Amino acid sequence: MRIALVISDHDQKRTSLKIGLEIEERLKALDIDNTFFDLQDDFLIDISSYDSVIIVAENQGPLISFQLYNLILNNRNEWAGKLILPIITTEEAIMGESAFQQIRSLLKSLNADIITEQTIFTHLHNKFDQEMNLKDQELNFVINRLIMLVISEGKPSPYRMRIIA
């Protein structure tokens, strides 16, 4: 299994980057082939050779960033049949929910296989220490669970929502 880990975050705090690095570290520890893509550094991403994609994105208002939206639409054929786990990081849960619905609808229209658990992480500024080590046990558990969902290609119930406060 090959996993693409796409980070879309242009905020100064780069909370999506922190979550992305945490996920990447855990995937490497499990010896899972993965590639880390940061849209701030590179807009030309080819996901065609990956089985699954984990997207960690910061909402911009009630939507996803233009860069992420553009990446998805410019490569629309590559998303069909891929298992996708979208994660939205936000300061406001309602804004994160809107961004999550946008990315979910967009990917579903392209025939992607989306992990249906609505995953929104809020208030991440106090979940990491100065060295960017995760210190929140609940978030630690949730990240492990989400990685297992991607690895097992399993799906929880369609309308389940997980908000970390």
Side-chain angles (χ1 to χ4, degrees):
M1 167 177 269
R2 295 191 70 213
I3 298 175
L5 181 57
V6 179
I7 307 304
S8 175
D9 185 347
H10 295 79
D11 186 73
Q12 267 188 2
K13 297 176 188 172
R14 305 248 27 221
T15 54
S16 295
L17 177 64
K18 291 175 185 176
I19 295 294
L21 290 171
E22 188 70 31
I23 292 171
E24 180 189 36
E25 183 179 308
R26 292 173 193 220
L27 291 172
K28 284 182 179 181
L30 293 169
D31 202 27
I32 295 176
D33 185 11
N34 72 90
T35 306
F36 187 89
F37 298 105
D38 187 346
L39 289 181
Q40 188 173 30
D41 300 329
D42 186 11
F43 295 104
L44 303 173
I45 296 173
D46 179 13
I47 62 156
S48 60
S49 64
Y50 295 90
D51 304 305
S52 302
V53 180
I54 299 173
I55 299 171
V56 185
E58 179 83 21
N59 68 298
Q60 292 192 340
L63 304 173
I64 59 174
S65 72
F66 175 74
Q67 292 81 4
L68 180 57
Y69 185 81
N70 217 19
L71 169 72
I72 294 169
L73 286 185
N74 287 339
N75 303 295
R76 59 184 75 200
N77 294 334
E78 295 177 12
W79 297 93
K82 299 240 186 282
L83 180 68
I84 312 293
L85 170 64
I87 298 171
I88 301 294
T89 63
T90 185
E91 288 300 312
E92 294 183 47
I94 192 134
M95 296 290 200
E97 185 173 341
S98 296
F100 184 90
Q101 291 303 328
Q102 180 196 22
I103 195 169
R104 184 177 178 271
S105 297
L106 181 61
L107 289 169
K108 194 170 188 134
S109 72
L110 299 175
N111 294 319
D113 188 15
I114 301 164
I115 291 181
T116 55
E117 182 168 358
Q118 190 168 11
T119 310
I120 303 166
F121 294 163
T122 63
H123 306 293
L124 293 172
H125 58 277
N126 61 355
K127 308 263 188 218
F128 292 86
D129 63 19
Q130 298 289 38
E131 288 81 38
M132 288 183 40
N133 296 313
L134 181 62
K135 63 181 186 176
D136 186 86
Q137 291 304 313
E138 184 179 7
L139 185 57
N140 180 49
F141 172 77
V142 171
I143 289 173
N144 283 335
R145 183 173 173 272
L146 292 173
I147 289 171
M148 289 302 134
L149 280 174
V150 172
I151 292 170
S152 68
E153 298 181 15
K155 292 185 180 181
S157 61
Y159 297 106
R160 190 165 181 187
M161 185 160 93
R162 183 70 171 142
I163 296 177
I164 307 298

